[in-house]
Amino acid sequence: MALSLKQGLLLRPPHTNSLTRPRPSSTSLPSRSFRRCYAAFANENREYVIVGGGNAAGYAARTFVEHGMADGRLCIVTKEAYAPYERPALTKAYLFPPDKKPARLPGFHTCVGSGGERQTPEWYQEKGIEMLYQDPVTDIDIEKQTLTTNSGKLLKYGSLIIATGSAVSRFPDKIGGNLPGVHYIRDVADADALISSLGKAKKVVVVGGGYIGMEVAAATVAWKLDTTIIFPEDHLLKRLFTPSLAQRYEELYQKNGVKILKGASIKNLEAGADGHVAGVKLGDGSVVEADLVIIGIGAKPAVSPFERVGLNKEVGGIQVDGQFRTGVPGIFAIGDVAAFPLKIYNRTARVEHVDHARRSAQHCIKSLLTAQTHTYDYLPYFYSRVFEYEGSPRKVWWQFFGDNVGETVEIGNFDPKVATFWIESGKLQGVLLESGSPEEFQLLPKLARNQPAIDKAKLQSASSVEEALDIARGSL
């Protein structure tokens, strides 16, 4: 039986009528800079505890510091060995070949991704923030307001912020999902293991045609490796791209040496005589040879052990309101794991994206520490940057804002610009732009948020992307 693949970010969550409020090991650290820091805590009591060490945790910590509420009051508990970092780098510059100036820590600790200060492990120490590295939370007692970590540490919290993010979706063991040579990317350790394998590999298969698959395939050809990307949909990034837009990117990937197998189901991963992955067997019985397989088929919200706090069964994740409060007083959830009211489209959503991780963290902590009461008003935003390494014949950078609903108008020849506009009931709903100028990119969220009435025929008649954007701008 062929395996059904799911990939991509949750861009179009199911509609809901209203926001429901549910009822309520010890390993060595990589270096001295990651030693545990206990600040001024003399017992198990903490005023504020953040569980999770990703983007959202880093931006939440910064917001606590900005309000003077971190020193001796805040504890961050993470399963990772590193202080929070900008996770998108792991499938972009982190995977560049050694001679192409790859990104490395401490270069991309939060909050450099948004132009903020680089929060190294020393920054957390200086700010009096307790960091518990490599010690994930394994249990919560909601009534006693206590957390138990993997090492057996008991933490009593006043307010709890759940920022556990997502866990990568994996192939089952029975079809070879954990064979040597099979990789997934979610954290630095995953990326380091992949880089080590890339240095020895000859034939790479990337499974999944979403964001991760596209970014990883763009990186592996920079290593001069035979690369094939396999996915079940009929075109790349099906959740967002139109067929015609996808075709342009597929042709660009093929020009860069990536082989594309679309509409393909995978039966299993095959091992060679040495037990190492040797190929990908497709539903039709054919086998694609590979000594390295990278699986990027999406992620699931990392809700454990917080299921009792209240889950949203439609979009997944922990249900929260417009201030990121769960159904349990004193417990909040932010980032990928939060199912929140998407005010602009009047539905509940869960968004797996760095922009939402940053913004949700800041909004939540401001609401917790100040008199801020307004509802989080997020505008969906997605982007990708690939082929950005030195010597690349062409760099790719697109941005999308809004909602991909309705009819589409595509303008431009992808040389390098192309723009796609989504129009529903005569109003602009979403817009994607490739290779825009800073000023053009800044226009996109204004268009998507204002949803202006727009003349579709006039837009279709535009002779260039610049003219189309001028027409859209004039409709504001």
Side-chain angles (χ1 to χ4, degrees), residues 60-216:
R62 181 177 75 174
T63 311
F64 271 108
V65 169
E66 288 170 347
H67 288 83
M69 297 295 281
D71 193 358
R73 295 177 168 185
L74 176 62
C75 171
I76 298 178
V77 193
T78 173
K79 66 181 180 181
E80 295 210 41
Y82 302 90
Y85 53 85
E86 304 282 2
R87 203 175 296 278
L90 296 181
T91 53
K92 298 180 177 69
Y94 203 85
L95 296 184
F96 288 178
D99 61 342
K100 305 290 187 188
K101 298 182 179 176
R104 291 292 180 267
L105 288 173
F108 58 98
H109 280 297
T110 55
C111 299
V112 296
S114 61
E117 185 179 359
R118 182 180 291 109
Q119 297 169 192
T120 62
E122 291 75 22
W123 181 89
Y124 291 87
Q125 292 177 353
E126 290 165 6
K127 303 301 182 185
I129 299 170
E130 179 184 23
M131 296 294 297
L132 301 181
Y133 295 103
Q134 296 182 309
D135 201 10
V137 170
T138 55
D139 194 26
I140 178 173
D141 187 321
I142 291 173
E143 288 71 31
K144 293 182 179 177
Q145 292 184 233
T146 58
L147 303 170
T148 304
T149 71
N150 190 56
S151 70
K153 192 167 186 64
L154 190 70
L155 306 172
K156 187 167 179 63
Y157 61 85
S159 296
L160 172 65
I161 298 97
I162 302 168
T164 43
S166 298
V168 69
S169 296
R170 306 176 74 91
F171 272 12
D173 275 350
K174 65 182 179 183
I175 65 162
N178 285 311
L179 285 173
V182 176
H183 291 263
Y184 304 83
I185 304 183
R186 188 63 197 169
D187 56 31
V188 168
D190 293 336
D192 285 344
L194 174 56
I195 289 165
S196 176
S197 293
L198 285 170
K200 308 164 199 165
K202 291 185 174 63
K203 292 190 173 183
V204 177
V205 166
V206 179
V207 179
Y211 292 85
I212 300 299
M214 289 180 70
E215 291 180 352
V216 170

Side-chain angles (χ1 to χ4, degrees), residues 178-454:
N178 285 311
L179 285 173
V182 176
H183 291 263
Y184 304 83
I185 304 183
R186 188 63 197 169
D187 56 31
V188 168
D190 293 336
D192 285 344
L194 174 56
I195 289 165
S196 176
S197 293
L198 285 170
K200 308 164 199 165
K202 291 185 174 63
K203 292 190 173 183
V204 177
V205 166
V206 179
V207 179
Y211 292 85
I212 300 299
M214 289 180 70
E215 291 180 352
V216 170
T220 58
V221 290
W223 290 71
K224 305 288 192 286
L225 299 175
D226 181 307
T227 299
T228 302
I229 185 169
I230 302 174
F231 50 92
E233 298 82 11
D234 54 12
H235 65 75
L236 282 173
L237 202 57
K238 181 86 180 231
R239 287 178 180 266
L240 178 58
F241 286 176
T242 63
S244 61
L245 184 62
Q247 184 179 348
R248 295 177 185 272
Y249 285 96
E250 287 168 10
E251 289 170 355
L252 176 65
Y253 271 68
Q254 287 165 332
K255 281 181 187 173
N256 278 274
V258 178
K259 286 174 272 194
I260 296 175
L261 273 179
K262 45 189 173 179
S265 60
I266 292 175
K267 189 172 184 183
N268 61 275
L269 307 182
E270 296 192 332
D274 60 356
H276 193 277
V277 71
V280 178
K281 188 170 186 178
L282 304 181
D284 63 7
S286 62
V287 176
V288 181
E289 288 184 14
D291 54 7
L292 173 59
V293 175
I294 305 146
I295 298 176
I297 55 170
K300 300 170 184 173
V303 296
S304 180
F306 303 107
E307 293 89 348
R308 280 187 59 219
V309 172
L311 304 182
N312 181 297
K313 292 180 181 175
E314 291 187 38
V315 301
I318 297 170
Q319 184 69 58
V320 297
D321 66 8
Q323 280 78 44
F324 296 95
R325 297 175 296 197
T326 70
V328 179
I331 300 182
F332 304 77
I334 57 177
D336 290 9
V337 79
F340 66 97
L342 188 58
K343 182 179 177 183
I344 189 171
Y345 302 128
N346 190 31
R347 63 177 185 249
T348 297
R350 196 178 58 76
V351 177
E352 296 172 4
H353 194 265
V354 63
D355 182 61
H356 165 64
R358 294 167 180 162
R359 294 176 185 273
S360 63
Q362 292 163 334
H363 191 95
C364 172
I365 306 309
K366 284 179 183 175
S367 296
L368 172 61
L369 299 180
T370 72
Q372 172 180 288
T373 57
H374 67 270
T375 293
Y376 183 60
D377 190 8
Y378 186 66
L379 177 68
Y381 161 55
F382 299 96
Y383 76 93
S384 188
R385 303 175 71 145
V386 292
F387 299 116
E388 289 200 306
Y389 46 85
E390 283 186 358
S392 170
R394 174 173 172 184
K395 295 173 170 57
V396 167
W397 182 17
W398 58 260
Q399 293 187 25
F400 167 83
F401 286 87
D403 205 5
N404 59 329
V405 293
E407 302 174 282
T408 57
V409 174
E410 185 179 300
I411 304 293
N413 296 317
F414 204 58
D415 58 353
K417 289 184 182 180
V418 67
T420 301
F421 301 85
W422 280 262
I423 301 167
E424 187 175 57
S425 303
K427 291 188 174 183
L428 186 64
Q429 296 294 323
V431 58
L432 182 147
L433 175 62
E434 166 64 49
S435 298
S437 67
E439 294 75 24
E440 289 168 340
F441 279 142
Q442 286 167 15
L443 174 64
L444 305 190
K446 295 175 187 173
L447 294 172
R449 188 168 285 285
N450 283 281
Q451 301 173 28
I454 195 159

